[in-house]
Amino acid sequence: MTAAPHGDPRLAGMRHLLAIAGMTREQVEGLLDLADVYVDHSRAAGRKISRLAGRTVVNLFFESSTRTRTSFELATQRLGGDVINMEVSWSSVKKGETLIDTAMTLNAMHPDALVVRAPDSGAVQLLSEKVTSAVLNGGDGAHEHPTQALLDAVTIRRRRGTLHGLRVAICGDIAHSRVARSNIHLLTLVGAEVRVIAPPTLLPTGIEAMGVEAYTDMRAGLTGCDIVMMLRLQTERMQGSHVPSIREYFRFYGLDHAKLAAAKPDALIMHPGPMNRGVEIDTVVADDIDRSLIREQVEMGVAVRMAVLDVLAGGPAEAAA
Amino acid sequence: MSARTAYTNARVIDPARGLDAPGGVLTRGGRIEDTGADLFAGGVPEDAERVDCGGAWLVPGLVDMGALVGEPGREHQETIHSAGRAAAAGGTTAVACLPNTDPVIDNEAALEFVARRARETKLVKLHAHGAITRGCEGRDLTEMGLLSEAGAVGFTEGLHALADPGMMRRALSYATAFGVTVAQRPEEPSLASGSMNGGERATRLGLGGRSRHAEAMTVERDVRLVRMTGGRYHAGPITCRESLAVIRAAKADGLPVTCATAPPYLALTEAAVGDYRTFAKVAPPLRGEADRAAVAGAVADGTIDAVASDHNPQDQDAKRLPFESAAFGIAGLETRLALTLDLVNAGTLSPDGLVRRLALDPARILGLNAGTLAPDAPADLAVIDADPRWVIDPDAFLSKCKNAPFDDRPARGRVHRTVVDGRPIHRAADDGIAA
């Protein structure tokens, strides 16, 4: 067992990971560098890390999730920590002060980190104000999903060497997407050129003020892009409320080879998962091993979460090798 | 080599090119080859058939941007064929129908059905509006992108307003991705539940009223949503002064807003309801004289872009009922030109303005390649003699429906000939044109 990495002074002051907004470029780059280290650790079989030895991480999910929760669970275990999963229905939480009650109850058990996902924007921050442990935002409403943006950034950086100067298109349900918001903050922070592409009904007002260019014509938006990030369209928005039909959405906003041809010839495709094949992405494109980074994103997810847990809940920096 | 036709000895009015002068038009096959004042100064080409217009007006084929055609589903009231003949008799060469058929035009198949039937009928060019929401039920957006690719010329709920502001916002917003227009019959339904214009007359007759404010507030609200979304918006029929004020302000601010009215609102007032006359029952309702005059003035000054027929065919049974139970709607395809010509004869509207309101501007709003006699445009035109006096007789309508409150109304100006793609689709029996 080795109590390895961290010890990065750029990350010394971090207590929670609530949002990409407000982070410094140095902090983001520090986390990306550390995630790189953990990618190698994870790939080397049998390598044990004890950064979280004797520590407890609670996955508090008010919204069902398999991928993100499993990813945090695995990250904790790889760092030698203990993990507890709690799934609480949001409907019971909504009836009063229960969110804070739950937080106080958990806090009394002295966990070292709380990973929280909640359907209401801002709920994770509210909870963080009531507990003494580190809080990691596992996704709050349509606000932020910081570890997703970090894992996307690691994935891109490992392929392209840098994020600076890349043209990235984020396509789909921008209005309801926390993934989009976190990615916009991160990518603009590190000097990428960000575009968002969506039907006007899924483009939130004032999005340009976040430093992006907005497009409703997908081909125009994809022109010259290095990276194409697709977002999942929730079923309840496909039947006429925001988008008339799956058929029409796929026709104008689904990523297929014809639209992808507008991007750079070596443009890479990403998706936070789970994908709706035939809705936002064509199967052929999703499975194109030369272009699709979708499986790599999952691997980077574990590494990024290890990095964040290490920084926020790991042993004292001086214990690092 | 396509056949050529020389229309000579005409007063050619083509506002798109600022033309209003004695001259002629030369067509070749389905296209206009040339138009001009001195076109035949050097003689008519030898191979061209000569049509002497006898000094009558030669104008672009008229475009009707809002008419209900009963097909599919209401063929007993009107078919694409009967509507086509009626429209042609009024100098119209293109009609944009409303989606309130049965089934509703809310999918590509319905749109293609209308297009195919129109092709088979070979009369006027029939275009269709798609519904904004599925089944015109106000809940779920239609596939505006696919529908506009399939030829929908705009989107509207047709006979009633899209009342929900959230839905209207989404529709206007979504439409911007495809550059299509969302059209509204602006009457807030929860306020416009009566059967005639709200006011003294409705009160005396004991009828429920439809307030002018129900119209103006919907236009006001929609213009607000246009500011919010940038969507292209068309309102009509407009019938009252308050709505016109809102439209004027919106246009002055450069918003993508257009509007139309219909001949009944130019020609009649609520007095036509008289003693419970159901043929004068229409929605929005006929208003008072001040509104009628204001609407006519707005047609003249261009605040109102288009005069649509707002043709709504009803059978006798639907009108032979107590006033409140009777159906709304007036037959309008054949009288649109004659009733608008009244404004010209009264000196309110110029002939140039008439062609703008009835052809050029509706074509522009619908995005049609029509409304002009420019070279290479489709040879869609009408020969109109603005002089002859006649009396409107709904029983003589070519339309299957005779539900119009214009019987025995004196009119002036008749259509001699209506031509679509170079093909005459209507010739007056007594057109006197030397062929």
Side-chain angles (χ1 to χ4, degrees):
Chain A
M1 297 271 272
T2 148
H6 190 23
D8 187 333
R10 289 176 294 179
L11 302 170
M14 285 186 70
R15 184 161 168 249
H16 300 302
L17 179 68
L18 298 175
I20 300 293
M23 287 179 77
T24 63
R25 185 168 177 166
E26 288 68 33
Q27 285 174 324
V28 166
E29 283 170 351
L31 286 173
L32 299 184
D33 291 346
L34 187 54
D36 264 334
V37 173
Y38 280 122
V39 173
D40 298 335
H41 270 285
S42 294
R43 284 181 180 172
R47 195 87 179 266
K48 281 281 204 177
I49 315 270
S50 57
R51 289 285 297 152
L52 289 189
R55 295 175 191 250
T56 307
V57 175
V58 176
N59 282 333
L60 178 58
F61 278 61
F62 294 103
E63 206 178 64
S64 67
S65 151
T66 314
R67 307 162 70 98
T68 306
R69 202 207 61 215
T70 310
S71 183
F72 271 109
E73 207 175 328
L74 194 56
T76 308
Q77 287 175 355
R78 284 198 181 152
L79 291 169
D82 298 316
V83 60
I84 290 170
N85 291 317
M86 284 186 66
E87 283 218 19
V88 186
S89 92
W90 190 246
S91 51
S92 62
V93 169
K94 272 186 153 171
K95 296 171 189 159
E97 292 268 341
T98 332
L99 173 70
I100 300 200
D101 291 348
T102 311
M104 302 299 268
T105 307
L106 283 172
N107 197 45
M109 299 179 194
H110 301 295
D112 298 283
L114 277 173
V115 178
V116 187
R117 166 169 291 189
D120 279 20
S121 303
V124 177
Q125 186 188 318
L126 176 64
L127 192 141
S128 75
E129 289 160 8
K130 308 290 173 190
V131 298
T132 47
S133 65
V135 174
L136 286 72
N137 185 356
D140 64 322
H143 176 225
E144 284 231 34
H145 191 356
T147 56
Q148 179 71 43
L150 289 165
L151 76 86
D152 287 339
V154 176
T155 312
I156 299 169
R157 208 177 66 162
R158 287 176 72 91
R159 276 296 188 104
R160 285 283 188 261
T162 179
L163 294 159
H164 186 87
L166 292 182
R167 182 179 286 178
V168 183
I170 307 175
C171 318
D173 187 358
I174 308 293
H176 304 95
S177 175
R178 53 195 174 214
V179 174
R181 285 174 181 73
S182 286
N183 264 310
I184 290 168
H185 287 304
L186 192 153
L187 292 166
T188 51
L189 183 67
V190 297
E193 176 194 334
V194 183
R195 297 175 167 190
V196 293
I197 306 174
T201 41
L202 294 175
L203 268 181
T205 14
I207 188 80
E208 292 89 350
M210 290 178 74
V212 303
E213 273 185 61
Y215 289 84
T216 57
D217 180 326
M218 192 160 181
R219 279 167 207 268
L222 287 181
T223 303
C225 282
D226 299 278
I227 305 288
V228 183
M229 284 185 180
M230 299 306 299
L231 298 173
R232 178 180 169 80
L233 182 66
Q234 300 291 338
T235 341
E236 64 267 25
R237 308 206 170 97
M238 295 174 199
Q239 305 297 339
S241 64
H242 293 76
V243 165
S245 67
I246 291 174
R247 196 167 73 111
E248 171 141 321
Y249 188 76
F250 185 70
R251 169 77 176 68
F252 294 101
Y253 297 99
L255 186 67
D256 53 19
H257 273 299
K259 296 190 199 82
L260 186 58
K264 284 191 181 162
D266 60 348
L268 298 169
I269 300 151
M270 305 176 77
H271 193 297
M275 279 182 280
N276 293 309
R277 291 168 191 267
V279 178
E280 68 259 359
I281 192 161
D282 188 22
T283 285
V284 186
V285 173
D287 298 334
D288 184 338
I289 48 164
D290 297 327
R291 313 291 294 272
S292 171
L293 297 179
I294 295 166
R295 258 167 272 175
E296 230 167 294
Q297 287 173 272
V298 178
E299 184 192 356
M300 296 307 136
V302 178
V304 154
R305 284 156 189 143
M306 287 172 81
V308 176
L309 284 165
D310 177 350
V311 170
L312 299 181
E318 54 269 27
Chain B
M1 175 125 178
S2 305
R4 296 164 101 190
T5 306
Y7 296 86
T8 65
N9 190 22
R11 174 177 173 184
V12 182
I13 307 172
D14 184 15
R17 302 196 305 152
L19 185 66
D20 181 354
V25 170
L26 180 63
T27 66
R28 178 196 291 270
R31 299 263 154 197
I32 287 172
E33 188 172 325
D34 208 353
T35 300
D38 306 316
L39 187 58
F40 302 117
V44 172
E46 272 179 25
D47 62 345
E49 180 200 357
R50 183 192 180 101
V51 175
D52 185 334
C53 299
W57 298 1
L58 182 49
V59 302
L62 307 184
V63 178
D64 183 354
M65 66 177 303
L68 186 67
V69 176
E71 194 172 344
R74 287 170 60 174
E75 288 87 348
H76 64 291
Q77 291 172 333
E78 193 81 278
T79 63
I80 287 174
H81 184 264
S82 62
R85 289 187 63 210
T92 297
T93 56
V95 173
C97 65
L98 301 179
N100 314 84
T101 46
D102 183 12
V104 167
I105 304 175
D106 61 1
N107 61 77
E108 289 163 282
L111 204 59
E112 278 155 14
F113 171 84
V114 171
R116 177 172 60 78
R117 289 286 298 121
R119 277 196 307 277
E120 290 167 1
T121 307
K122 285 197 169 83
L123 289 165
V124 295
K125 293 176 176 172
L126 186 62
H127 304 276
H129 284 92
I132 302 170
T133 66
R134 262 178 247 156
C136 290
E137 287 171 356
R139 284 193 295 273
D140 303 316
L141 289 176
T142 56
E143 296 166 325
M144 287 189 192
L146 295 169
L147 284 167
S148 88
E149 284 192 344
V153 289
F155 293 85
T156 176
E157 298 289 78
L159 295 178
H160 61 267
L162 179 55
D164 177 48
M167 203 64 218
M168 191 61 176
R169 178 207 168 165
R170 274 184 197 154
L172 280 165
S173 175
Y174 193 70
T176 60
F178 307 103
V180 294
T181 301
V182 174
Q184 171 85 297
R185 181 176 299 261
E187 263 200 305
E188 168 51 46
S190 60
L191 295 174
S193 54
S195 54
M196 73 169 291
N197 186 37
E200 181 197 332
R201 192 172 291 264
T203 300
R204 284 180 192 280
L205 290 170
L207 295 173
R210 298 171 86 89
S211 166
R212 53 206 291 110
H213 300 293
E215 175 182 312
M217 76 172 60
T218 304
V219 177
E220 231 161 18
R221 178 203 78 176
D222 289 345
V223 166
R224 183 68 53 188
L225 292 173
V226 169
R227 286 184 202 279
M228 193 172 171
T229 59
R232 273 170 55 190
Y233 174 73
H234 175 81
I238 292 296
T239 67
C240 67
R241 286 162 286 169
E242 289 84 350
S243 302
L244 290 168
V246 178
I247 299 272
R248 274 195 190 100
K251 288 186 166 188
D253 286 352
L255 296 178
V257 169
T258 55
C259 73
T261 190
Y265 309 106
L266 299 172
L268 301 173
T269 67
E270 60 179 344
V273 170
D275 219 1
Y276 305 103
R277 226 179 141 215
T278 60
F279 275 15
K281 182 176 175 184
V282 63
L286 300 169
R287 308 282 185 196
E289 173 55 24
D291 283 316
R292 190 208 61 78
V295 168
V299 166
D301 72 22
T303 303
I304 291 178
D305 301 271
V307 179
S309 71
D310 201 32
H311 182 68
N312 184 347
Q314 296 295 341
D315 51 42
Q316 297 291 321
D317 290 348
K319 285 289 189 184
R320 229 181 267 141
L321 289 168
F323 197 85
E324 296 210 297
S325 312
F328 291 99
I330 292 177
L333 287 173
E334 281 160 272
T335 44
R336 184 170 71 119
L337 172 64
L339 295 172
T340 313
L341 267 170
D342 282 351
L343 298 186
V344 177
N345 292 323
T348 314
L349 182 68
S350 66
D352 177 273
L354 176 114
V355 175
R356 286 179 189 274
R357 302 291 92 81
L358 297 183
L360 179 60
D361 286 352
R364 194 143 53 195
I365 294 165
L366 296 167
L368 301 179
N369 181 15
T372 174
L373 298 171
D376 211 38
D380 299 344
L381 47 91
V383 181
I384 297 167
D385 185 344
D387 280 334
R389 292 171 195 275
W390 56 293
V391 173
I392 297 176
D393 174 13
D395 287 335
F397 283 174
L398 296 171
S399 164
K400 283 180 84 166
C401 286
K402 327 290 182 194
N403 54 303
F406 304 120
D407 39 330
D408 299 332
R409 181 187 172 93
R412 207 171 148 200
R414 301 224 73 165
V415 175
H416 278 328
R417 186 179 289 216
T418 307
V419 176
V420 168
D421 287 335
R423 251 175 326 107
I425 59 164
H426 171 82
R427 287 170 114 142
D430 56 347
D431 71 0
I433 291 179

